Amino acid sequence: MSSKMGDKVENGDNMPHITQIAAMEKLSGSRFCKYVKPKKRLTNDAERITGIVMTNANTMLVKGKKVEAVGIRVAIGELCEWLEQFPNVSLVAHNGRWFDFRVVKSAIESIGMKDRLYKCVCTLVDSLPIFQKMYPGQSHKQANLVHSLLGTRYNEHDATADVDALSKLISFVDLYRKEILKYSFDFSDI
């Protein structure tokens, strides 16, 4: 299971807000994606980088196109419903230990959904140290790895594109579940 808990909104709080959640189950290719209405106004930099804008009418636009966005409680609830269909879920995110999973943990604790998500997820995996070990001496930013290893570029500020790219990277280096799980941890470790 690859995941990306979306591009976040820097808002002056200690923890960014989630604006998009995406995940993919690797074996079946089943996908999940939800846009999330941030609780705070997006900064100009966040809008520029992500292409996400909230209008005065509380409508979310992504690169000028209207998208359906829900509150964080609904998004996490729907993510849990989607995850519940799979056994032994491992969420994988690039730099997840230091960013994505911390943001998710903060969000689920703030809305009282920690127990529900924890029941759905067996382990968390940060792919960054895996690629650091395999490819020392080069940039380990996910977009740079995609370019150097796969010879392509992608929209790195779209959670769905991030998930697809990470899945392709993992496939390219032939990482199997057993190898990935050597780098696993759980929410209590962050």
Side-chain angles (χ1 to χ4, degrees):
M1 175 85 56
S2 297
S3 71
K4 175 72 175 180
M5 297 308 167
D7 285 303
K8 293 70 164 179
V9 179
E10 296 292 341
N11 56 36
D13 291 346
N14 289 337
M15 195 58 66
H17 288 205
I18 297 170
T19 56
Q20 186 184 14
I21 299 174
M24 178 179 71
E25 199 281 326
K26 187 118 172 87
L27 294 177
S28 69
S30 177
R31 297 170 183 276
F32 176 88
C33 180
K34 281 289 171 193
Y35 285 96
V36 182
K37 292 180 183 177
K39 292 182 179 183
K40 303 263 181 147
R41 185 189 175 289
L42 282 74
T43 64
N44 291 338
D45 280 345
E47 289 179 348
R48 181 183 49 76
I49 290 168
T50 65
I52 296 174
V53 175
M54 292 300 295
T55 69
N56 291 338
N58 206 27
T59 300
M60 182 179 275
L61 304 175
V62 178
K63 297 185 176 162
K65 294 183 181 179
K66 183 178 177 181
V67 296
E68 180 185 348
V70 298
I72 187 66
R73 183 179 301 279
V74 171
I76 295 294
E78 290 181 12
L79 174 65
C80 289
E81 286 177 26
W82 182 79
L83 291 171
E84 287 166 349
Q85 67 185 313
F86 306 108
N88 305 315
V89 171
S90 294
L91 294 181
V92 181
H94 201 70
N95 198 30
R97 181 184 287 271
W98 303 111
F99 192 73
D100 296 84
F101 299 137
R102 289 178 186 267
V103 173
V104 171
K105 183 176 181 179
S106 175
I108 62 175
E109 287 176 350
S110 74
I111 60 172
M113 294 187 73
K114 178 176 73 169
D115 292 340
R116 178 143 187 229
L117 185 64
Y118 289 6
K119 287 178 186 173
C120 302
V121 177
C122 294
T123 59
L124 305 172
V125 178
D126 184 347
S127 62
L128 179 59
I130 298 170
F131 285 96
Q132 287 172 328
K133 183 177 179 182
M134 294 178 78
Y135 299 96
Q138 72 175 62
S139 171
H140 297 100
K141 183 178 176 189
Q142 183 171 305
N144 293 342
L145 288 169
V146 167
H147 184 255
S148 66
L149 299 177
L150 305 178
T152 189
R153 299 201 185 277
Y154 72 101
N155 181 4
E156 65 184 282
H157 297 291
D158 176 271
T160 302
D162 278 334
V163 166
D164 287 341
L166 182 55
S167 177
K168 288 174 184 173
L169 281 172
I170 290 170
S171 294
F172 177 80
V173 296
D174 285 330
L175 285 176
Y176 296 98
R177 182 172 174 83
K178 183 178 177 185
E179 294 169 23
I180 289 172
L181 289 179
K182 292 177 188 175
Y183 294 87
S184 68
F185 54 96
D186 62 40
F187 279 107
S188 68
D189 295 324
I190 53 176

